[in-house]
Amino acid sequence: QELEEQYSPSRWSPRLGSDTIVQAHLEATAAGTRRARAGARTSLHVPYGDGDREKLDIYFPADPAGTFPLLLYIHGGYWQCLSKDESGFAALPLVSRGVAVAAVGYDTAPTGHMDAMVLQVRRSVAFLVQRHAGIRGIYLCGHSAGAHLAAMVLSTDWTQYGVAPDIRGAVLVSGVYDLEPILHTYVNDELHMSQEVAQRNSPMLHITPAAVACKVLVAVAQHDSPEFRRQSQEYGQALRAAGWSVSLLDLAGVDHFDIIEKLSEESYILTQVGEELLPSL
C-alpha cells in the first residue's frame, strides 16, 4: 500500500485532487501545444517507423541558418497514456532562439511493452540524425516515464543503429530510473513487466562511461513523492560517480505535473536552466 502511494504522483499535489490533476495536466499541455503549432513552422506526424505511433512532430526555428540544435521531447504518462500530440508545449521559447524541437510518439501500454518503447525512442534519434544533416547537437528532455526513456537513450550502444548521434545534453524531469519498485504497484497491471524486463530497462543498472560533451540535468519537484525524489537523487549521484557532468535541481513550489507544464514559460527557472545546456544560446 505504501509503495502504491509513493508511485501515485497525483496524490502528492497540493494544487488539485488526484482525480482532477491529470486532466488539468492534459489540458495545460494540449493548450501549450496548440499555441506552439500556431506560432512555429512545423512538420507534423513524420513517420520514423511503420507503427501507428512511430511518428514525430517537429517544430523548426523560423529561420534555421543551415544548422540548428535539436531538442527531443519524450512525454510521460506512466508508459500508458499521453502522446506526442500534446507534447509540443515547450517549443515556443526554444524555436524563438533557433532551436528545433521534436516530440516523439511511441507505443504506450497495453499495445507497447517496455523493450519496444525503449527501442522506438532510440530509433527516433537515429532517424532524426539520418534525416536532418543540419542538426548541431541533440538534447534530450523527458518527463516522468519520458525521463526514464531519455535516460535509456543515454545508455544506448549506437553501433547497432549505424549512427553516432552527437547527444550533448539531457534534461530529466521527475523520472523513474529503477523499475523494480514499479513491479509491485498498480502501474505494472498494464505494463506486464517481468523482473528481467525491469532490470533490462532500468537506467540505474545500465550507466555507461560518460559521454565527454554531454551534460545531464536531473530535476525533481518539491511536491514529488519521497520515492520519486530518492530515485532522482540516486540516479544523478550514480551518473556523477561514472564521470558524467550532472546538475541536480530541486524545484520549489511545483508538483509532478506543473514542473514540466511551465516549460512553455520563458521566465520559468527550468526553461532558463535547460537553455543554458544549449551552447548556441
Side-chain angles (χ1 to χ4, degrees), residues 11 92 120 181:
R11 299 184 187 181
L92 281 183
Q120 285 173 323

Side-chain angles (χ1 to χ4, degrees), residues 57-76:
D57 288 344
I58 308 174
Y59 301 77
F60 290 100
D63 183 25
T67 64
F68 50 84
L70 181 137
L71 180 116
L72 181 70
Y73 181 77
I74 308 168
H75 70 80

Side-chain angles (χ1 to χ4, degrees), residues 151 154-155 170 172 177 203-204 206-210 215-218 232-248:
L154 293 180
S155 71
L172 308 176
Y177 309 104
M204 192 73 177
H206 300 283
I207 293 174
T208 58
K215 295 182 178 180
V216 181
L217 173 65
V218 181
S232 291
Q233 185 81 19
E234 291 184 2
Y235 181 62
Q237 290 171 343
L239 281 177
R240 192 176 283 162
W244 290 77
S245 174
V246 179
S247 301
L248 290 163

Side-chain angles (χ1 to χ4, degrees), residues 32-106:
T33 299
R34 286 193 297 273
R35 289 193 297 272
R37 289 184 175 184
R41 193 166 63 87
T42 60
S43 290
L44 303 178
H45 317 305
V46 178
Y48 67 85
D50 298 328
D52 289 343
R53 284 205 166 204
E54 293 182 349
K55 294 182 173 67
L56 293 152
D57 288 344
I58 308 174
Y59 301 77
F60 290 100
D63 183 25
T67 64
F68 50 84
L70 181 137
L71 180 116
L72 181 70
Y73 181 77
I74 308 168
H75 70 80
Y78 255 161
W79 307 278
Q80 52 198 289
C81 62
L82 303 183
S83 73
K84 69 170 181 58
D85 298 330
E86 59 279 333
S87 296
F89 56 92
L92 281 183
L94 290 167
V95 297
S96 66
R97 288 167 165 75
V99 180
V101 175
V104 60
Y106 55 90

